[in-house]
Amino acid sequence: MTERKRALITGITGQDGSFLTELLLEKDYEVHGIIRRSSTFNTDRIDHIYVDPHNPDARLFLHYGDLTDGTTLRRILEEVQPVEIYNLGAQSHVRVSFDSPEYTVDAVGMGVLRLLEAIRDYQKRTGIEVRFYQAGSSEMFGKVQEVPQKETTPFYPRSPYACAKVYGHWQTINYRESYGLFACNGILFNHESERRGETFVTRKITRAVARIVEGKQKKLFLGNLDSKRDWGYAKDYVRAMWMMLQKEKPDDYVIATNETHSIREFLDIAFNYVNLDWHDFVEFDARYLRPAEVELLIGDSTKAREKLGWEPSVTFEELVHLMVDADIEALKKAKELGVGFD
């Protein structure tokens, strides 16, 4: 009997971390995740798959740590001894990165360096190969220099978050080329789901739709409605992460649907789905504008389709409907249980 593969995930409690955990458990991995210690639990996205770690059938284990704490990251690496590491942890809200630039850069940029150094040291001492996935972002393209954007398109980041992601991207390449690490960058364009954080515009919209239908909300305040993004389904995108680490050689890949849609289009589909006109409910609020806007993102995922055999399975319209359905269902359950949906 072959030994079960062991993976370590930072950001395991996030949207992507929870879907990736499910995927790896389906593939019979033992999964270890890093969570930040806080006064409240933030594990709701993985509670349905978490088993008491003392249970002999348990294959999901959580460890306290932080990307800003290199000593703890090294200790966890030594304890877990993973063969794959997926770095999904981040302060991932672009608008918030303008308000907390130092923390964002420390976690998102320097966090990558801390992990790469820990892996390099661990491999040097043990001779065990650790395959590393770095979560890049389409935000790195920012003020786009080419349409569509592919792996060779120059970066032009427009936020502290995007600048930090560019740093992490190039450090990943640097460690691959300098030390022979199996390290991949996934340049993932926007990917959403029913598990998307509630402050992100897509989930903010679908959640508002559910609440408006139930009479619990009257207005939705948004910023730039003309921004265009390449939106896919998160479950498809974590599959691409895993596929990258199964290849014979490490490389960098754009993961995208090759389509772009505006926030107005998202509003059209979401509100039309429940027979409402968004113009009756949406109002502009300048607070949601960024100091430097990113107007257009559309990815060319030809390389991933050809070399990985990856392609998306959910269309843009299906994605919006899926999210609206999930939020309407969540609101119904909350009502049945007699708890608020606030």
Side-chain angles (χ1 to χ4, degrees):
M1 183 178 175
T2 57
E3 188 177 348
R4 185 174 276 143
K5 274 189 174 182
R6 198 175 296 134
L8 176 64
I9 303 172
T10 71
I12 194 169
T13 59
Q15 168 189 257
D16 293 5
S18 66
F19 282 126
L20 179 60
T21 299
E22 289 175 343
L23 176 71
L24 296 178
L25 290 174
E26 285 170 10
K27 295 183 179 297
D28 201 36
Y29 278 64
E30 179 179 304
V31 180
H32 294 255
I34 297 178
I35 61 172
R36 284 177 294 174
R37 191 182 293 277
S38 67
S39 58
T40 57
F41 288 109
N42 184 31
T43 58
D44 52 304
R45 292 187 182 96
I46 58 171
D47 284 343
H48 65 289
I49 47 177
Y50 187 65
V51 178
D52 183 340
H54 300 296
N55 186 315
D57 297 324
R59 287 190 290 121
L60 172 57
F61 304 90
L62 302 179
H63 308 262
Y64 285 118
D66 196 299
L67 287 167
T68 62
D69 180 359
T71 302
T72 303
L73 292 176
R74 286 173 178 267
R75 177 180 55 75
I76 293 171
L77 182 57
E78 293 287 343
E79 286 178 9
V80 174
Q81 299 183 346
V83 294
E84 294 176 7
I85 294 179
Y86 297 85
N87 183 34
L88 313 183
Q91 189 300 101
S92 59
H93 199 287
V94 177
R95 181 64 190 83
V96 171
S97 77
F98 285 99
D99 300 323
S100 302
E102 286 187 45
Y103 173 74
T104 299
V105 171
D106 194 15
V108 176
M110 289 300 294
V112 180
L113 182 64
R114 293 181 186 107
L115 277 170
L116 289 167
E117 268 294 280
I119 293 168
R120 181 174 77 91
D121 184 54
Y122 176 75
Q123 283 193 181
K124 191 175 178 181
R125 289 186 298 97
T126 65
I128 299 169
E129 182 184 66
V130 179
R131 297 190 168 202
F132 177 72
Y133 170 81
Q134 165 58 16
S137 169
S138 57
E139 289 285 337
M140 299 189 296
F141 294 118
K143 190 175 180 180
V144 298
Q145 304 298 291
E146 181 180 29
V147 178
Q149 296 88 55
K150 50 185 181 284
E151 291 81 4
T152 54
T153 302
F155 296 133
Y156 196 136
R158 301 265 282 174
S159 67
Y161 168 79
C163 290
K165 281 292 186 184
V166 171
Y167 176 85
H169 176 92
W170 282 112
Q171 284 292 10
T172 300
I173 293 172
N174 180 40
Y175 273 68
R176 181 171 74 215
E177 295 179 351
S178 300
Y179 305 116
L181 263 59
F182 193 108
C184 299
N185 285 297
I187 308 173
L188 273 56
F189 279 64
N190 291 64
H191 45 289
E192 317 297 315
S193 76
E194 65 277 22
R195 298 181 191 173
R196 188 53 141 155
E198 292 161 8
T199 58
F200 289 85
V201 67
T202 51
R203 184 73 196 290
K204 187 176 175 182
I205 291 169
T206 61
R207 198 164 174 268
V209 167
R211 290 171 59 83
I212 288 167
V213 167
E214 285 293 325
K216 291 179 70 69
Q217 185 170 331
K218 293 181 179 178
K219 292 292 180 182
L220 170 61
F221 296 93
L222 297 173
N224 184 5
L225 303 186
D226 297 315
S227 291
K228 292 185 176 181
R229 295 291 185 269
D230 185 325
W231 276 302
Y233 185 39
K235 209 166 186 179
D236 287 335
Y237 285 47
V238 300
R239 180 163 41 86
M241 299 174 189
W242 176 79
M243 294 171 88
M244 289 178 211
L245 296 198
Q246 311 316 307
K247 296 297 287 183
E248 187 178 339
K249 293 181 180 178
D251 207 343
D252 308 320
Y253 300 89
V254 161
I255 305 298
T257 68
N258 301 15
E259 295 179 9
T260 191
H261 300 276
S262 69
I263 293 172
R264 290 179 190 276
E265 288 177 77
F266 197 105
L267 286 165
D268 278 334
I269 294 172
F271 278 84
N272 286 345
Y273 190 47
V274 293
N275 300 312
L276 293 175
D277 183 343
W278 66 264
H279 296 89
D280 297 332
F281 303 96
V282 176
E283 291 190 7
F284 173 74
D285 190 331
R287 289 179 302 169
Y288 296 114
L289 295 177
R290 303 176 185 178
E293 285 287 338
V294 173
E295 299 293 347
L296 168 68
L297 292 173
I298 177 171
D300 179 354
S301 56
T302 301
K303 181 178 175 181
R305 292 167 192 252
E306 292 178 353
K307 292 197 171 185
L308 298 178
W310 176 86
E311 55 183 51
S313 67
V314 176
T315 67
F316 177 65
E317 187 170 5
E318 288 169 343
L319 171 64
V320 180
H321 289 174
L322 178 156
M323 292 177 68
V324 171
D325 282 338
D327 276 326
I328 288 173
E329 184 60 30
L331 187 54
K332 283 180 182 174
K333 284 184 179 176
K335 282 181 69 178
E336 288 169 8
L337 294 170
V339 296
F341 190 66
D342 299 309

